[in-house]
């Protein structure tokens, strides 16, 4: 079936270079994509080429979530990017941010669309969007990642569309886009169950705003997930046991509330562990659906999974795309403002499971910085879920850098999640339930359950020193 | 009119000492009250007496918000309190918390009812509630503070009621209580405007759970608010100008979204400033309605104000109580889980205005600790509003301790609100709009606009040293 079905837009079909030539230096550009899926590729690379050829492009890029190297890497290396908002995961961009060469501002996943809508990022000069197809009326069939596509089509002044023929057309119907309106509008997001459909499968798009349509066949550059190892399996087993204990105690209902899971190998391993457990009748309400979500559906444990991106390892992608219909009606791809809406997360009492870089003795979590000074990727949606969930869980290995440093530390180098929001901390050593504990109780339990044995004495010594140092007993601090 | 109208409960009327004798040592007790209004007084003092007489009471107190000295002070000084959850503002309790003698866990205002409902604080053995009256069917007419009253009547095993005849009976009808149910229930909170009524004016209460009814005439011990001084007026004027500029730029709608305001003199002064400005057609959706909310209504600027407590200075209380009918239909007193619901705050795009103890160069805010080590009061609902609002504003004077220390600091001693959630910082020196800025841009602007002139050089020197020290440019840190 044809991918560009809107007559009015057929005349706008051009090469990526021609489209990039329409981009004004200094533009504020919003892009589609999430977790390195569904982001524009050809036009950003062509913009980078202009910078390489000596033009001062200094564009601002607003991304809803992570995007691949063809976008962030190209624009960063070429010097075309002056400013970047939202989660990033590109090594070259990260270097420039940490060197102060690209101005970076980390934004919650639920906030980016809010800020765009309400004009807090200024005028959005341009949206560059990757889609599966353009419908007769100009509306868009999104890629596997909805991200901010609906907000950008509505609020950007101009639009460039990349139509990517590697995206299976069978994705049509998987999306559920619900566009919130600018204040003072007040809308209820009427989701009361992970699988509720509340919107449309298409992003409305006014064809008169579209200045270019580019055909591409470039693949997403998301990475394969690491196979679960013994440590990851241990973490998963502690969480599963915790769920069972909580259900038994009547503090968690059976079946469990919808599961949210962060991004990466550990997060995926936890869900794989759940797929192999005897837990039943589960649902997923999350921002990113990784490989394990397919396992959960295949095992019959999950009937409904909802997220803003279906990010499947390249190794499994071909099989998925060939059999996508198997998941129709079971997977919903929503706009990120809805997947990460505080309203829905709290209402559903979601179980939030995210990964920490390090956790301190008070329970503060660092999700974004290494050495306390260098941004790694950003906070993503971890705060949206952690602070609004029914139960918040953080996982991390107890050590990093080949066991040479402890991930349970006296004080985190950067606070992304405060002690007020974190509840359950899990490492391969064990699980600490910090709910309702005072500061020193939390410290003792974290050391006992989560720290690696070789760092326990050092951490205990810090606690004793803090107690003796005269600081208030509500803060674990050596004066 | 009679205050105890339920026949079945007339036989339960007894003295505070008799009621306190029914309290088992080690009990987990939830109490009514918020911002030192509507908390039980006589029975806690009688429990304290038991401890003074040598009994080991070691009770746990769960409060939705601040309560007065008859409760926190009595139980703390007598040694009756072993553990305390939620905001506190009592100097004797604070001392014991900082000395490690009372185990304290600070909890978001929106979380306390959630944690009670879902059993995360364990079984609630007892609720002690202050009310204006008990209706024929046992249901309760709350005081001026609804707090957690509805959650406690539903989830506590037993209930002791203090019927306080200093609360005007005309408060009947001011309440709007909407009780959320335990997970897996999923309920929409259908508020789309500050004045929407969605619940009942009474808290349902099963008379068979009530073990004692105590008549009291003890007054709330909330404090008078400081008159706005020149510095507070300056802060208010910067905020008002900001609103006007944002409306002009189309980033804030006219009329403004509902206003939230924190507790205390500065917060009240900002609202008094707004009451005296030319802003019109305002509404208030907040947790605590202080004196200025009456001014806003009296001036005709506010048609609807909603909060969980109407906390009026003792000096103005008598006049208010005599003329309460003037505010009928204009003021709603809601349960705290609704006033602080992320869902409603985000939906209404509330403008959050809270007070900071100190702000750091990255934009992190400390709301709860002095010297980075001693808990002051707690976070209250500041995080609920800051992280879910349309715009978040923090106010603080630029210096503390008679001008000897700067409230703009390189690093806060305790992070309660992260740089990801804070947006606008205001001192008597000026207003810094941090939205969309990178780390060093934020630092420069905060120093320029908000720091006191006498600390500017020192702060600038820190920034230069951090830049030169080799730490990543996304964190302002001297290595």
């Amino acid at each position: 079936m044809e991918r560009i079905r809107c007559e009015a837009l057929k005349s706008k079909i051009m090469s990526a270079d021609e489209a990039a030539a329409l981009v004004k230096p200094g533009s504020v550009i919003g892009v589609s994509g999430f977790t390195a899926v569904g982001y524009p590729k050809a036009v950003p690379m062509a913009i980078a080429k202009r910078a390489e050829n000596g033009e001062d492009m200094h564009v601002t890029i607003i991304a809803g979530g992570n995007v691949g190297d063809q976008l962030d890497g190209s624009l960063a290396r070429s010097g075309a990017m002056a400013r970047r908002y939202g989660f990033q995961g590109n090594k070259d961009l990260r270097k420039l941010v940490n060197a102060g060469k690209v101005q970076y501002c980390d934004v919650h996943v639920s906030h980016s669309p809010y800020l765009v809508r309400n004009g807090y990022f200024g005028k959005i000069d341009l949206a560059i969007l990757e889609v599966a197809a353009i419908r007769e009326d100009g509306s868009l069939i999104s890629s596997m990642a909805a991200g901010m596509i609906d907000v950008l089509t509505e609020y950007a002044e101009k639009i460039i569309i990349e139509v990517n023929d590697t995206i299976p057309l069978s994705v049509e119907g998987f999306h559920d886009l619900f566009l919130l309106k600018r204040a003072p509008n007040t809308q209820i997001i009427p989701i009361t169950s992970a699988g509720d459909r509340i919107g449309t499968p298409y992003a409305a798009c006014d064809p008169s705003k579209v200045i270019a349509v580019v055909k591409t066949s470039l693949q997403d550059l998301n990475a394969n997930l690491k196979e679960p190892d013994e440590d990851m399996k241990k973490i998963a087993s502690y969480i599963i046991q915790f769920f069972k204990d909580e259900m038994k105690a009547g503090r968690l209902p059976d079946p469990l509330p919808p599961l949210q899971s962060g991004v990466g190998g550990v997060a995926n391993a936890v869900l794989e562990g759940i797929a192999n457990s005897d837990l039943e009748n589960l649902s997923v309400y999350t921002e990113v659906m990784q490989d394990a979500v397919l396992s959960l559906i295949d095992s019959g444990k999950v009937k409904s999974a909802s997220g803003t991106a279906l990010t499947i390892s390249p190794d499994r992608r071909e099989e998925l795309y060939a059999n996508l219909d198997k998941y129709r009606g079971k997977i919903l791809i929503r706009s990120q403002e809805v997947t990460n809406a505080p309203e829905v997360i709290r209402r559903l009492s979601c179980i939030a499971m995210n990964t920490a870089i390090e956790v301190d003795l008070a329970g503060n979590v660092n999700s974004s910085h290494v050495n306390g000074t260098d941004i790694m990727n950003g906070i993503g949606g971890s705060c949206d879920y952690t602070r609004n969930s029914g139960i918040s869980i953080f996982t991390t290995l107890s050590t990093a850098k080949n066991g040479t440093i402890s991930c349970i530390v006296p004080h985190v180098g950067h606070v992304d999640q405060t002690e007020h929001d974190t509840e359950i901390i899990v490492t391969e050593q064990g699980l600490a339930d910090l709910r309702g504990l005072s500061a020193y109780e939390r410290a003792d339990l974290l050391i006992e359950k989560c720290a690696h044995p070789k760092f326990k004495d050092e951490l205990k010594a810090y606690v004793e020193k803090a107690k003796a140092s005269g600081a208030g007993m509500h803060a674990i601090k050596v004066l």
Side-chain angles (χ1 to χ4, degrees), chain A:
Chain A
M1 198 177 173
E2 209 186 345
R3 287 179 184 259
I4 302 168
R5 303 167 202 162
C6 176
E7 284 306 319
L9 291 184
K10 286 185 176 165
S11 63
K12 300 287 170 68
I13 297 174
M14 61 184 82
S15 72
D17 285 336
E18 287 166 330
L22 302 174
V23 178
K24 292 204 184 95
S27 290
V28 175
I29 304 173
V31 296
S32 67
F34 211 95
T35 15
V37 164
Y39 55 94
K41 302 163 180 78
V43 177
M45 287 194 288
I47 295 172
K49 222 190 297 171
R50 284 178 62 183
E52 281 157 15
N53 290 335
E55 275 193 87
D56 178 13
M57 292 305 293
H58 63 282
V59 298
T60 292
I61 298 291
I62 305 171
N66 196 18
V67 294
D69 188 75
Q70 299 111 322
L71 200 168
D72 267 347
S74 300
L75 293 178
R77 286 187 297 270
S78 66
M81 195 192 299
R83 193 174 283 276
R84 175 71 159 72
Y85 294 112
F87 190 94
Q88 55 73 34
N90 184 275
K91 70 178 192 331
D92 293 317
L93 173 55
R94 186 185 297 145
K95 254 185 234 164
L96 291 171
V97 168
N98 287 318
K101 308 278 191 196
V102 172
Q103 301 307 311
Y104 177 66
C105 181
D106 201 2
V107 186
H108 298 299
V109 165
S110 77
H111 282 193
S112 296
Y114 186 92
L115 301 178
V116 167
R117 275 195 287 127
N118 288 283
Y120 297 171
F121 288 131
K123 189 160 63 73
I124 310 297
D125 300 305
L126 179 68
I128 311 182
L129 310 172
E130 185 184 88
V131 303
I134 306 173
R135 296 171 76 232
E136 288 74 4
D137 62 356
S139 62
L140 306 174
I141 301 175
S142 172
S143 70
M144 295 290 164
M148 294 203 290
I149 192 166
D150 50 351
V151 173
L152 290 173
T153 51
E154 180 77 13
Y155 292 100
E157 304 266 307
K158 293 176 180 172
I159 299 171
I160 293 176
I161 302 174
E162 291 191 12
V163 180
N164 190 321
D165 63 15
T166 71
I167 305 168
L169 276 173
S170 52
V171 75
E172 183 171 357
F174 276 72
H175 303 98
D176 184 60
L177 304 180
F178 182 81
L179 180 64
L180 289 152
K181 302 238 172 297
R182 185 179 282 214
N185 287 287
T186 55
Q187 289 152 278
I188 289 168
I189 304 175
I191 294 175
T192 56
S193 168
D196 284 353
R197 271 202 170 274
I198 61 167
T200 62
Y202 315 110
C205 179
D206 174 359
S208 73
K209 297 211 290 190
V210 178
I211 58 170
V213 176
V214 178
K215 295 182 182 183
T216 90
S217 302
L218 295 162
Q219 293 271 7
D220 290 321
L221 289 185
N222 59 312
N224 280 315
L225 288 165
K226 212 178 136 191
E227 277 298 303
D229 62 19
E230 281 314 304
D231 283 344
M232 294 183 196
K233 285 180 185 168
K234 275 189 198 165
I235 289 174
S237 74
Y238 301 142
I239 292 176
I240 292 163
Q241 190 57 48
F242 169 76
F243 289 156
K244 290 182 180 175
D245 293 344
E246 288 295 296
M247 287 192 276
K248 209 168 159 187
R251 287 187 293 266
L252 275 178
D254 183 9
L256 290 172
L259 305 173
Q260 177 260 343
S261 173
V263 177
V266 174
N268 192 62
V270 170
L271 287 191
E272 288 287 4
I274 292 172
N276 293 321
S277 75
D278 51 3
L279 294 168
E280 296 283 351
N281 298 314
L282 304 169
S283 61
V284 170
Y285 195 87
T286 192
E287 71 192 41
V288 182
M289 298 175 282
Q290 298 188 117
D291 299 5
V293 170
L294 301 183
S295 309
L296 282 164
I297 294 174
D298 293 345
S299 70
K301 291 192 184 303
V302 162
K303 300 271 181 300
S304 283
S306 157
T308 197
L310 181 59
T311 297
I312 301 304
S313 292
D315 287 354
R316 294 183 64 172
R317 194 188 291 156
E318 202 178 330
E319 194 201 329
L320 170 69
Y321 285 6
N323 298 287
L324 200 55
D325 271 331
K326 194 170 128 189
Y327 299 98
R328 192 173 299 280
K330 294 175 181 162
I331 285 178
L332 280 185
I333 303 174
R334 303 183 191 271
S335 18
Q336 71 185 68
E337 192 163 8
V338 172
T339 59
N340 283 53
E343 166 172 352
V344 182
I345 296 166
R346 178 72 61 95
R347 185 184 298 145
L348 301 185
S349 292
C350 285
I351 296 176
M353 298 184 284
N354 290 287
T355 53
I357 290 177
E358 55 182 4
V359 183
D360 74 19
L361 295 176
N364 297 298
V365 163
N366 171 13
S367 307
S368 64
H369 283 66
V370 287
N371 307 323
T373 63
D374 285 43
I375 184 92
M376 190 68 195
N377 300 321
I379 47 173
S382 60
C383 304
D384 291 326
Y385 276 93
T386 297
R387 65 204 193 179
N388 293 306
S389 59
I391 288 193
S392 75
I393 299 174
F394 272 94
T395 59
T396 176
L397 296 173
S398 69
T399 62
K401 305 265 176 205
N402 297 317
T404 56
I405 60 171
S406 177
C407 295
I408 308 294
V409 296
H411 299 282
V412 289
H414 192 266
V415 178
D416 292 304
Q417 330 272 352
T418 75
E419 54 171 293
H420 315 301
D421 294 333
T422 59
E423 295 181 321
I424 315 293
I425 310 291
V426 195
T427 70
E428 84 289 352
Q429 299 296 319
L431 180 147
D433 181 351
L434 307 182
R435 292 176 295 177
L437 300 185
S438 64
Y440 274 91
E441 290 172 340
R442 269 177 266 157
D444 290 347
L445 193 69
L446 270 167
I447 296 171
E448 181 196 335
K449 301 281 190 186
C450 295
H452 192 280
K454 70 178 168 187
F455 290 110
K456 283 190 179 186
D457 287 346
E458 203 177 311
L459 290 165
K460 280 182 196 164
Y462 185 88
V463 168
E464 288 312 314
K465 210 168 154 191
K467 267 186 197 164
S469 81
M473 290 290 285
H474 193 258
I476 301 150
K477 206 168 259 191
V478 172
L479 285 188

